[in-house]
Amino acid sequence: MRHVIALDVGGTGMKAALVGADGALLHQARRATGRERGPEAVVRTILDFAAELRAHGERHLGTPASAAGVAVPGIVDADRGIAAYAANLGWRDVPLRDLLSARLSGTPVALGHDVRTGGLAEGRIGAGRDADRFLFVPLGTGIAGAIGIDGRVEAGAHGNAGEIGHIVVRPGGLACPCGQRGCLERYASAAAVSQAWAEAAGDPGADAADCAEAVMSGDPNAVRIWQEAVDALADGLVTALTLLDPRTIVIGGGLAEAGETLFTPLRDAVRRRVTFQKPPSIVPAALGDTAGCLGAGLLAWDLLDTTDSTEEPT
């Protein structure tokens, strides 16, 4: 059975699958990234994992994978297949596409940015599948974004498109590791809400999920912290929709797990801020933590479609 390898590499764990032409997950596996062993060891782990997946396909599906797609964090040069920089993995200029292709006996490999790859999946087969223009915004440790246009995701001239988390929403505000002050992710990420609620509750172990529960029970400090995050997020989203005019905004990540505790006030806050802009639909992501892996599979199939079309006889 014809299939591709899909790999989603995270800071702590890797998710993988063998994906059929119809998008079916024919085999799934997980493995620790092992970043504590150093950047070179992480690369070896990825190569070994991919080789095991290829062997599994040969044994159980009758043929090796036709292609592979890999999603990685950080700065990615997808055209050259290079993982240019990933702080949490210690990578600089890793030629991951070529390394993987060589390990997989010349199998073609597509390399993508993890958030844009997850956005690709949400746009084609997830919450944004009916939108010709969408913005995917996962709210996790930080805030990133993927700009979807007609079934593809825009990377930008230098691979940095969609970095909505570094829109300045509070000028002169909290310092951000990027070097600016007042960035959106310092106020509206799951990590930011967790930090604010832990300090207010006097509990170092409290997190954003605890804050959401406290909001539902009417705790005034939790309501204040939550509303500040919602307001900051609405400011960032209105800036984005002014520039991009998306039909749909898909919100994912840990903070979105709060459901309508987040979405009801967020939709209201965005509506209050728009003037001439057309308010988008604001919806929760549909694919959860499988989005990156599914998107990596789509990258691989896209690569095959491109190769097949260029090899057709004229």
Side-chain angles (χ1 to χ4, degrees):
M1 179 184 295
R2 199 174 191 218
H3 63 279
V4 299
I5 293 169
L7 266 170
D8 179 19
V9 179
T12 57
M14 294 185 287
K15 295 179 283 290
L18 299 180
V19 184
D22 59 354
L25 297 175
L26 306 173
H27 170 69
Q28 296 183 72
R30 294 186 182 232
R31 178 163 299 180
T33 303
R35 63 179 176 177
E36 69 280 355
R37 295 183 291 115
E40 292 181 357
V42 171
V43 172
R44 287 196 299 272
T45 298
I46 293 170
L47 298 181
D48 290 345
F49 197 14
E52 290 174 19
L53 291 162
R54 185 177 190 273
H56 183 94
E58 284 187 288
R59 287 195 306 270
H60 298 280
L61 300 175
T63 182
S66 300
V70 187
V72 298
I75 299 172
V76 179
D77 185 337
D79 290 339
R80 295 195 299 149
I82 293 174
Y85 176 70
N88 59 354
L89 297 177
W91 284 352
R92 282 189 180 275
D93 297 324
V94 177
L96 193 57
R97 181 180 66 193
D98 289 347
L99 291 172
L100 269 168
S101 183
R103 184 60 183 274
L104 296 174
S105 303
T107 299
V109 175
L111 183 68
H113 180 270
D114 56 354
V115 172
R116 287 195 290 271
T117 302
L120 179 68
E122 285 288 351
R124 287 199 195 169
I125 59 177
R129 62 186 176 277
D130 295 323
D132 55 346
R133 302 286 191 279
F134 72 92
L135 178 65
F136 172 55
V137 183
L139 308 174
T141 303
I143 297 177
I147 302 166
I149 305 171
D150 291 331
R152 64 180 181 82
V153 172
E154 173 60 44
H158 306 96
N160 294 320
E163 289 291 348
I164 186 176
H166 297 290
I167 289 175
V168 174
V169 294
R170 300 292 179 264
L174 298 172
C176 180
C178 79
Q180 300 183 124
R181 302 188 73 89
C183 288
L184 174 60
E185 72 175 38
R186 295 292 286 116
Y187 296 89
S189 63
V193 174
S194 294
Q195 180 181 350
W197 178 237
E199 292 172 357
D203 177 4
D207 61 14
D210 298 322
C211 184
E213 288 185 12
V215 168
M216 289 186 284
S217 66
D219 183 288
N221 279 329
V223 170
R224 173 184 56 80
I225 290 167
W226 196 260
Q227 191 60 52
E228 287 173 355
V230 167
D231 286 340
L233 182 55
D235 288 340
L237 292 179
V238 170
T239 298
L241 72 90
T242 302
L243 291 171
L244 303 172
D245 190 26
R247 197 174 306 278
T248 302
I249 296 178
V250 179
I251 306 290
L255 215 59
E257 293 176 7
E260 288 306 311
T261 301
L262 173 68
F263 285 93
T264 296
L266 179 60
R267 292 180 185 116
D268 289 342
V270 170
R271 270 195 297 267
R272 289 196 304 269
R273 285 163 170 75
V274 297
T275 53
F276 65 90
Q277 306 95 331
K278 179 71 172 178
S281 298
I282 300 176
V283 300
L287 303 176
D289 70 352
T290 66
C293 200
L294 290 167
L298 291 172
L299 288 179
W301 283 113
D302 284 355
L303 185 62
L304 286 174
D305 288 344
T306 301
T307 303
D308 291 347
S309 66
T310 58
E311 292 179 351
E312 288 179 357
T314 56

